[in-house]
Amino acid sequence: MLTGKQRSYLRSLANNLQPIFQVGKGGVSDNMIKQFSDALEARELIKATVLKNAECDTKTICEEIAEQTNSQVVQVIGSKFVLYRPSEKNSVIELP
């Protein structure tokens, strides 16, 4: 679990990130989970967007992806969400 200070720090880092994934009406698939997992390993912190035609709301989709990728939900605002998972091979982000 992330502390409030760590979450705040990660939010500040994610502020300048562009969303690299979009979740649409197809929902969350196994292939999408693999792509999220690979991106988290490479970047540690990713931002994604949920399109208006998605089956579920943003928070539900975010929590489902976080659970399946063993990552932490940093932030959910509107249709965007941010996930964090430390890299196993080369961790770059050092939490306070």
Side-chain angles (χ1 to χ4, degrees), residues 8-24:
S8 177
Y9 175 70
L10 291 172
R11 277 199 306 260
S12 72
L13 293 177
N15 194 25
N16 299 325
L17 290 179
Q18 293 298 316
I20 60 170
F21 289 107
Q22 291 182 335
V23 180

Side-chain angles (χ1 to χ4, degrees), residues 14-80:
N15 194 25
N16 299 325
L17 290 179
Q18 293 298 316
I20 60 170
F21 289 107
Q22 291 182 335
V23 180
K25 76 177 179 186
V28 179
S29 64
D30 292 337
N31 187 34
M32 184 177 286
I33 294 296
K34 170 130 177 52
Q35 290 176 348
F36 266 96
S37 187
D38 291 345
L40 283 164
E41 180 61 34
R43 299 178 181 218
E44 296 184 303
L45 189 68
I46 59 171
K47 186 185 282 189
T49 304
V50 177
L51 301 176
K52 291 181 181 178
N53 64 354
E55 299 166 351
C56 299
D57 66 324
T58 306
K59 189 164 179 70
T60 306
I61 290 173
C62 177
E63 289 173 352
E64 180 182 346
I65 293 171
E67 181 180 318
Q68 292 187 23
T69 59
N70 296 320
S71 58
Q72 299 286 324
V73 177
V74 174
Q75 170 178 24
V76 178
I77 293 183
S79 64
K80 293 186 169 92

